[in-house]
Amino acid sequence: DVKVTQSSRYLVKRTGEKVFLECVQDMDHENMFWYRQDPGLGLRLIYFSYDVKMKEKGDIPEGYSVSREKKERFSLILESASTNQTSMYLCASSRTSGSSSYNEQFFGPGTRLTVL
Amino acid sequence: AQSVTQPDIHITVSEGASLELRCNYSYGATPYLFWYVQSPGQGLQLLLKYFSGDTLVQGIKGFEAEFKRSQSSFNLRKPSVHWSDAAEYFCAVGAKGFQKLVFGTGTRLLVSP
């Protein structure tokens, strides 16, 4: 069974702290994604990685950075957490299948981050 | 660029009644279309997907969706809703050769007894 795991389900941090959210997939997928989910706004892409050490900005990268040192692991970093980064964070992965890639993404359970 | 519209923020359906959730997309070529479901406090689970071929696709949990190119729609249907179907539903569009998906803002389904 395919699996995407996230390091924490719930996290509470203080303003100004450096925050690490970890995501691991066991499907040998090339692509990994970080989204944030807010009521009424759906899922918004923060960053995307299509290979180890490769990354691409999504729609809302400001205030975030990412790291992908190994194929199975993709980390989201909040350099200095702020209250407006309180949200649900979802990680996903997908396979690149030659020229007919399917785009299907598999999601982790999410991390609900509260910044006080 | 692709975009997705889910015009209904909330829908309430009686248990046992039929369901249709609307999804309209914007994309110049043939899209890849997906419906995901998110139960409270959980991640997203794929219900069904359309890439090509038969425009009526069957998914898990008794759901189906129909791709209508002329209407740029991919509506999700279920003939008889169960209380366990209460969740948030997301439509998403992708494109061949591109890895990113664009998600709609979601429709929250409430099921009344």
Side-chain angles (χ1 to χ4, degrees), chain A residues 23-69:
Chain A
C23 176
V24 177
Q25 50 97 2
D26 66 359
M27 297 166 281
D28 200 36
H29 283 172
E30 293 82 4
N31 310 299
M32 296 188 75
F33 308 81
W34 275 107
Y35 296 91
R36 67 175 281 175
Q37 180 182 12
D38 301 287
L41 298 178
L43 276 70
R44 294 180 291 168
L45 182 64
I46 304 171
Y47 266 98
F48 156 55
S49 170
Y50 50 92
D51 200 351
V52 174
K53 297 190 187 295
M54 306 303 287
K55 63 186 179 185
E56 188 175 308
K57 292 181 180 178
D59 301 317
I60 51 164
E62 297 78 20
Y64 303 95
S65 62
V66 290
S67 171
R68 193 165 179 203
E69 297 295 320

Side-chain angles (χ1 to χ4, degrees), chain B residues 84-102:
Chain B
S84 60
D85 294 324
E88 190 151 23
Y89 292 80
F90 292 93
C91 182
V93 62
K96 183 177 178 179
F98 294 89
Q99 301 308 315
K100 291 187 278 189
L101 295 180
V102 174

Side-chain angles (χ1 to χ4, degrees), chain A residues 9 31 33 35 37 40 42-43 45 48 56 90 94-96 99 101-105 107-109, chain B residues 32 34 36 38 41-44 46 49 51 88 90 94-101 103-105:
Chain A
R9 294 299 303 274
N31 310 299
F33 308 81
Y35 296 91
Q37 180 182 12
L43 276 70
L45 182 64
F48 156 55
E56 188 175 308
L90 293 167
S94 72
R95 179 179 303 285
T96 300
S99 61
S101 55
Y102 291 152
N103 312 109
E104 178 181 348
Q105 293 182 15
F107 283 81
Chain B
Y32 291 172
F34 305 82
Y36 284 86
Q38 184 181 35
Q42 302 298 315
L44 275 67
L46 182 69
K49 58 197 176 194
F51 298 140
E88 190 151 23
F90 292 93
K96 183 177 178 179
F98 294 89
Q99 301 308 315
K100 291 187 278 189
L101 295 180
F103 286 84
T105 51

Side-chain angles (χ1 to χ4, degrees), chain B residues 16-76:
Chain B
S18 63
L19 169 71
E20 183 168 27
L21 301 182
R22 295 183 291 166
C23 172
N24 292 97
Y25 69 90
S26 174
Y27 183 58
T30 300
Y32 291 172
L33 294 161
F34 305 82
W35 274 101
Y36 284 86
V37 61
Q38 184 181 35
S39 298
Q42 302 298 315
L44 275 67
Q45 180 185 19
L46 182 69
L47 281 176
L48 48 78
K49 58 197 176 194
Y50 171 80
F51 298 140
S52 64
D54 192 349
T55 56
L56 184 64
V57 294
Q58 303 296 321
I60 63 171
K61 305 186 182 190
F63 286 92
E64 67 178 27
E66 187 171 12
F67 171 58
K68 293 185 177 180
R69 184 188 300 276
S70 62
Q71 298 177 20
S72 298
S73 69
F74 189 56
N75 294 348
L76 182 71

Side-chain angles (χ1 to χ4, degrees), chain A residues 7-8 14 31 89-90 95 106 115:
Chain A
S7 51
S8 305
R14 298 222 173 260
N31 310 299
Y89 290 88
L90 293 167
R95 179 179 303 285
F106 296 85
V115 182

